[in-house]
């Protein structure tokens, strides 16, 4: 970015533009939303090992947060070694791996 301005402060950019640039994908469950950043993922598969009923690379969509309790989803997200996974609780709390 030549101007040195943050993407967030530049009114030309929307969240959608930034999400597409970072390859972000959001998967909503009843109580939690999991966000996946494709560019940060190194495919260590920690999430699949932690919660295979939520993270299933053979399913579409591959992240299904409603398939387990919130605590299990949060613990699986926190096992991600690169921070490619984040979560937001519908109650307003947020976290990242």
């Amino acid at each position: 970015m030549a101007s040195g301005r943050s993407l967030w402060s530049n009114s030309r950019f929307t969240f959608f533009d930034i999400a597409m640039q970072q390859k972000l994908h959001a998967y909503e469950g009843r109580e939690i939303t999991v966000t996946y950043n494709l560019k940060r993922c190194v495919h260590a598969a920690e999430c699949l090992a932690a919660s295979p009923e939520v993270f299933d690379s053979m399913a579409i969509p591959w992240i299904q947060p409603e398939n387990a309790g919130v605590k299990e989803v949060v613990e699986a997200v926190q096992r991600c070694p690169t921070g490619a996974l984040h979560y937001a609780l519908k109650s307003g709390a947020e976290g990242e791996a």
Side-chain angles (χ1 to χ4, degrees):
M1 217 168 349
S3 68
R5 290 172 44 177
S6 165
L7 288 177
W8 296 110
S9 65
N10 190 335
S11 62
R12 295 182 320 198
F13 293 99
T14 65
F15 175 77
F16 178 76
D17 295 328
I18 294 164
M20 292 305 294
Q21 196 171 36
Q22 294 183 6
K23 304 238 187 255
L24 294 178
H25 303 274
Y27 301 88
E28 290 194 39
R30 290 179 296 279
E31 300 178 56
I32 189 169
T33 299
V34 176
T35 305
Y36 168 66
N37 183 332
L38 178 61
K39 283 191 167 187
R40 291 182 77 176
C41 184
V42 296
H43 305 289
E46 288 293 323
C47 56
L48 280 76
S51 186
E53 52 284 329
V54 173
F55 299 92
D56 180 353
S57 60
M58 301 305 288
I60 297 176
W62 80 276
I63 299 176
Q64 299 182 29
E66 67 279 353
N67 287 352
V70 170
K71 183 179 178 186
E72 183 177 333
V73 175
V74 168
E75 289 172 356
V77 167
Q78 291 174 335
R79 286 183 57 175
C80 178
T82 64
L85 296 171
H86 291 248
Y87 69 88
L89 300 176
K90 300 290 173 121
S91 64
E94 294 185 9
E96 67 176 80

